Amino acid sequence: MASITLKGNPINTSGELPTVGSKISDFKLVKNDLSVASLADFAGKKLVLNIFPSIDTGTCATSVRKFNESASKLENTNVLCISRDLPFAQNRFCGAEGLENVINLSDFQAGDFGKTNGLEIVNGPLAGLHSRAIIVVDENGTITHTEQVGEIADEPNYEAALAVL
């Protein structure tokens, strides 16, 4: 269980992030068109998993924008923005912002992605949502970088995530 904070108040996650050097677990997440995406859909690609509680918060929106800017410069790389938001909210946000270089995926149905990767917040006002985290995966499915953001209102370290790519 990871201990993080929300505006300085302690909250916990369901576990720890997967370790660097391990393989990312397969997943089934919902795309904006309500079809299902799995790890196999991104085979041979480097992945930046930008995970956050909700697209409708300022910090989450900022992380999506910043990774959108960076994604257009990276070869063979997809940025997956993952939250428990409904696909409709994710699509509305990206459409309004003109963001085209990120892929939104929702864990709203079962929350298995959050549970499997130790991301689900288990107490406090955001219980049931995902913590703010970054997982970078190489083209072979090996995790090369992780960051569990200690204060949920803070932005992740973009440079560290992008440096391993």
Side-chain angles (χ1 to χ4, degrees):
M1 179 176 326
S3 294
I4 57 176
T5 58
L6 172 63
K7 297 183 181 178
N9 299 306
I11 56 176
N12 298 292
T13 65
S14 58
E16 301 290 332
L17 291 178
T19 59
V20 171
S22 66
K23 294 287 187 180
I24 189 73
S25 297
D26 194 12
F27 54 78
K28 295 208 180 320
L29 297 166
V30 181
K31 297 192 250 182
N32 288 344
D33 65 2
L34 302 181
S35 63
V36 175
S38 71
L39 185 59
D41 295 327
F42 305 101
K45 298 275 188 180
K46 297 176 189 175
L47 301 174
V48 177
L49 288 81
N50 177 28
I51 306 149
F52 47 84
S54 176
I55 195 74
D56 287 319
T57 65
T59 305
C60 300
T62 298
S63 72
V64 173
R65 283 187 206 100
K66 286 197 177 185
F67 277 120
N68 178 70
E69 291 170 17
S70 303
S72 62
K73 301 172 189 157
L74 302 174
E75 286 188 37
N76 196 38
T77 303
N78 287 129
V79 177
L80 309 181
C81 293
I82 302 169
S83 69
R84 301 264 340 245
D85 289 302
L86 292 175
F88 313 113
Q90 294 173 334
N91 195 38
R92 172 190 40 80
F93 173 81
C94 286
E97 295 287 325
L99 303 178
E100 300 172 351
N101 297 317
V102 295
I103 298 167
N104 288 305
L105 298 172
S106 177
D107 193 20
F108 83 97
Q109 289 182 324
D112 290 342
F113 176 83
K115 292 172 187 165
T116 299
N117 292 291
L119 299 160
E120 185 173 329
I121 298 171
V122 295
N123 61 327
L126 299 181
L129 299 178
H130 295 332
S131 63
R132 183 176 318 288
I134 302 296
I135 301 173
V136 180
V137 180
D138 71 13
E139 53 274 301
N140 300 310
T142 301
I143 297 170
T144 58
H145 172 81
T146 64
E147 178 188 6
Q148 173 67 70
V149 179
E151 165 56 52
I152 208 156
D154 290 345
E155 292 180 52
N157 184 340
Y158 304 105
E159 294 78 22
L162 297 171
V164 298
L165 296 168

